[in-house]
């Protein structure tokens, strides 16, 4: 009997529609049954954007398409999308129905590509994987079918980097995180293709992907397949930082490693870091009286119920800069087996004096039961999703909603990455602590 997962925190492979929505003036065209796209939007959507949510064109495949095939229906929907949606890129994505039936969406897409239309395709039937994996599939498809056409010989643009970090929308704070990552990388002298969100220049950045001097992956494992593909295709070397850098220490560490890898002017890197650290720690110093006065009412231990990139980033920051002790850390992104040991080692060496216990689990109900049975859960901080709201009330714990489904937070441009993100973490955590101060 297949195992049921209680309280899912990611979607099926078709969730990569949100990867497309996050690209300026790009639109997904979904070849799936009715309701698939809407369910994904309700779980990780966080607004419609330019062409998301109910705007997404969909074939709504029915019994007729199952019996007779749905390629004609797909052509009809693509033709309609080209007429009524003013986009710079159209990305055809398949759902379970069309993949099981065997519709050849590649052949359909090729007909439009031969007409010179900006249309690509990717097979994202929900049963193939989850949206962490299919994010890489869709990005590589756009690179191969769109970006590659704009490659200008073997010209490399000095100092240009492509950044692959957290997954848009699956990370509720993706827009703010990418903005901060771009800001700090530009601060040390790089030109940045951030690719997604408000701080991206849209498809013009995607067209220069082949000309980048380096690729930067800021993630425990998602994005490595993209970087390796680009290395094989264009010979572009990549730098891997396996968690989200949050706060002063980890952000400075990240920038120094990037500066060394990219052979940047060390004096410029250190000058930027010094300026940012002075500003960051001046704000930290202002909290000293607060931390002393309320020390007996502040959370002493924390649990993370997050994906590997966030869990590592928050754990390092909360322990090493805020002094909160890690309880068990739960990773919920269905991490591929080949990456688990390196993640365990990161938690084992989370600081010079401490390690953290980590468990890879996708069942939210089971995770919550483990926390309930933990004998040392008093005055706890939980970093999780909207699913943990009732658990936090039950345990009198403080909850910071960081992961989807967010439900009880409105997020516009907030981010937790970098120096500015580290300050926002402190504000958000202790805002909730003071609201429940006992």
């Amino acid at each position: 009997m297949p195992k049921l997962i209680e309280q899912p925190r990611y979607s099926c492979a078709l969730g990569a529609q949100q990867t497309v929505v996050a690209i300026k003036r790009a639109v997904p065209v979904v070849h799936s049954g009715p309701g698939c796209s809407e369910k994904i939007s309700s779980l990780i959507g966080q607004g419609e954007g330019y062409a998301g949510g109910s705007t997404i064109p969909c074939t709504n495949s029915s019994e007729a398409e199952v019996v007779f095939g749905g390629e004609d229906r797909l052509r009809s929907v693509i033709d309609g999308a080209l007429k009524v949606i003013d986009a710079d890129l159209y990305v055809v994505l398949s759902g379970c129905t069309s993949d099981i039936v065997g519709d050849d969406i590649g052949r359909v897409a090729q007909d439009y590509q031969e007409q010179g239309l900006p249309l690509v395709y990717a097979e994202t039937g929900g049963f193939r994987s989850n949206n962490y994996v299919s994010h890489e599939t869709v990005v590589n498809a756009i690179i191969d079918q769109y970006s590659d056409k704009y490659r200008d010989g073997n010209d490399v643009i000095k100092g240009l980097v492509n950044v692959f970090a957290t997954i848009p929308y699956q990370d509720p704070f993706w827009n703010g995180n990418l903005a901060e990552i771009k800001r700090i990388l530009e601060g040390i002298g790089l030109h940045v293709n951030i690719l997604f969100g408000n701080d991206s220049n849209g498809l013009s950045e995607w067209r220069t992907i082949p000309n980048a001097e380096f690729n930067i992956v800021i993630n425990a494992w998602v994005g490595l397949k993209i970087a390796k593909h680009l290395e094989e295709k264009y010979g572009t070397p990549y730098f891997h930082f396996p968690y989200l850098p949050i706060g002063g220490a980890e952000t400075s560490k990240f920038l120094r490693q990037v500066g060394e890898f990219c052979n940047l002017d060390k004096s410029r890197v250190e000058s930027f870091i010094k300026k940012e650290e002075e500003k960051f720690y001046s704000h930290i110093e202002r909290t000293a009286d607060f931390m002393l006065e309320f020390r007996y009412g502040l959370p002493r231990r924390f649990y993370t119920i997050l994906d590997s990139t966030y869990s590592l980033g928050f754990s390092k920051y909360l322990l090493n800069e805020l002094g909160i002790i890690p309880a068990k850390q739960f990773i919920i992104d269905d991490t591929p087996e080949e990456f688990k040991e390196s993640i365990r080692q990161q938690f084992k060496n989370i600081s010079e004096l401490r390690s953290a216990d980590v468990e890879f689990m996708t069942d939210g109900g089971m995770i919550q039961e483990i926390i309930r049975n933990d004998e040392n859960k008093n005055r706890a901080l939980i970093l999780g999703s909207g699913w943990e709201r009732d658990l936090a009330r039950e345990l009198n714990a403080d909850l910071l909603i960081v992961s989807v489904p967010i439900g009880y937070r409105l997020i516009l441009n907030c981010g937790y990455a970098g120096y500015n993100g580290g300050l926002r973490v402190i504000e958000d955590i202790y805002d909730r602590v003071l609201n429940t101060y006992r």
Side-chain angles (χ1 to χ4, degrees):
M1 177 180 288
K3 185 179 183 297
L4 298 177
I5 297 176
E6 186 179 352
Q7 301 172 349
R9 294 151 199 274
Y10 53 80
S11 80
C12 68
L14 190 58
Q17 71 175 33
Q18 298 304 122
T19 294
V20 181
V21 172
I23 302 171
K24 281 186 178 178
R25 292 181 55 80
V27 57
V29 179
V30 177
H31 186 25
S32 73
C36 296
S37 176
E38 174 59 31
K39 287 180 181 178
I40 291 164
S41 296
S42 65
L43 177 67
I44 61 175
Q46 304 145 26
E48 295 197 354
Y50 182 71
S54 58
T55 309
I56 295 175
C58 181
T59 57
N60 292 319
S61 300
S62 63
E63 291 180 5
E65 282 72 43
V66 172
V67 174
F68 301 107
E71 292 178 17
D72 289 341
R73 174 68 176 159
L74 176 58
R75 292 178 193 276
S76 175
V77 171
I78 293 173
D79 289 340
L82 290 168
K83 289 178 182 177
V84 302
I85 301 179
D86 179 22
D88 292 336
L89 180 67
Y90 302 81
V91 182
V92 179
L93 305 174
S94 60
C96 292
T97 304
S98 60
D99 276 10
I100 292 172
V101 170
D103 288 340
D104 191 347
I105 66 167
R107 184 180 66 181
V108 174
Q110 187 176 4
D111 291 342
Y112 290 91
Q113 291 171 349
E114 289 173 353
Q115 299 174 44
L117 294 169
L119 184 142
V120 305
Y121 77 94
E123 294 180 346
T124 54
F127 59 83
R128 292 178 179 271
S129 61
N130 60 34
N131 60 314
Y132 285 95
V133 175
S134 62
H135 168 77
E136 295 179 309
T137 300
V138 168
V139 170
N140 279 338
I142 297 173
I143 290 169
D144 290 343
Q145 300 170 47
Y146 178 81
S147 304
D148 191 61
K149 295 179 180 178
Y150 295 90
R151 185 184 184 191
D152 185 14
N154 294 315
D155 292 343
V156 171
I157 301 174
K158 186 70 174 176
L160 179 65
V161 296
N162 304 312
V163 173
F164 304 99
T166 55
I167 301 175
Y169 292 99
Q170 177 63 39
D171 169 14
F173 305 92
W174 64 278
N175 223 327
N177 285 339
L178 293 182
E180 174 71 355
I181 290 168
K182 182 173 183 177
R183 182 187 75 85
I184 61 178
L185 288 176
E186 288 181 340
I188 62 173
L190 293 170
H191 304 289
V192 181
N193 281 341
I194 207 67
L195 302 174
F196 302 99
N198 294 333
D199 283 78
S200 165
N201 292 319
L203 272 300
S204 64
E205 288 190 357
W206 288 79
R207 290 193 288 269
T208 59
I209 284 177
N211 303 108
E213 186 176 13
F214 304 105
N215 293 311
I216 298 176
V217 178
I218 308 170
N219 202 293
W221 59 277
V222 179
L224 284 173
K225 188 175 290 186
I226 302 169
K228 290 175 182 177
H229 180 61
L230 288 169
E231 186 176 52
E232 293 173 0
K233 194 176 184 73
Y234 304 120
T236 314
Y238 69 89
F239 168 77
H240 179 212
F241 196 81
Y243 52 88
L244 192 69
I246 303 173
E250 295 302 328
T251 305
S252 297
K253 176 181 177 181
F254 165 69
L255 291 177
R256 288 189 175 102
Q257 289 185 7
V258 170
E260 183 177 351
F261 181 84
C262 298
N263 197 27
L264 301 179
D265 182 346
K266 188 173 182 179
S267 62
R268 176 168 180 174
V269 173
E270 291 300 327
S271 176
F272 179 79
I273 289 173
K274 181 180 178 182
K275 178 181 176 182
E276 291 293 316
E277 283 188 345
E278 286 176 352
K279 184 168 60 175
F280 176 81
Y281 288 113
S282 71
H283 291 297
I284 299 296
E285 288 171 2
R286 289 170 51 204
T287 69
D289 291 343
F290 161 75
M291 294 292 185
L292 182 63
E293 182 176 354
F294 288 94
R295 64 189 181 280
Y296 296 116
L298 299 179
R300 299 176 179 86
R301 289 159 54 86
F302 68 90
Y303 302 89
T304 62
I305 310 173
L306 305 171
D307 66 29
S308 45
T309 301
Y310 257 77
S311 186
L312 275 168
F314 269 99
S315 295
K316 286 177 178 287
Y317 180 56
L318 294 182
L319 172 61
N320 296 324
E321 299 214 60
L322 298 187
I324 310 176
I325 306 301
K328 179 166 281 192
Q329 311 299 295
F330 298 93
I331 292 180
I332 49 79
D333 58 11
D334 198 17
T335 312
E337 200 63 39
E338 67 258 38
F339 300 109
K340 287 183 179 179
E341 184 55 34
S342 64
I343 293 169
R344 288 191 186 98
Q345 288 301 314
Q346 287 283 346
F347 277 105
K348 184 178 180 180
N349 302 300
I350 198 167
S351 77
E352 293 181 359
L353 300 176
R354 285 189 177 272
S355 61
D357 187 13
V358 59
E359 191 154 349
F360 298 88
M361 300 183 71
T362 56
D363 191 314
M366 192 177 297
I367 291 171
Q368 292 187 8
E369 195 59 30
I370 293 172
I371 294 175
R372 285 190 183 94
N373 294 327
D374 187 346
E375 295 179 356
N376 297 311
K377 59 181 176 289
N378 293 334
R379 204 67 186 105
L381 168 67
I382 300 173
L383 290 88
S385 72
W387 292 123
E388 277 65 62
R389 197 184 192 203
D390 292 339
L391 175 68
R393 286 174 177 168
E394 177 185 337
L395 302 181
N396 289 322
D398 296 300
L399 171 66
L400 179 62
I401 296 176
V402 179
S403 173
V404 295
I406 53 173
Y408 307 101
R409 290 192 69 174
L410 176 64
I411 300 168
L412 296 178
N413 200 40
C414 167
Y416 288 143
Y419 299 105
N420 290 335
L423 295 175
R424 182 61 188 259
V425 169
I426 296 173
E427 292 173 344
D428 284 357
I429 287 176
Y430 292 114
D431 172 72
R432 284 148 184 78
V433 168
L434 291 173
N435 190 49
T436 59
Y437 181 69
R438 294 176 289 278

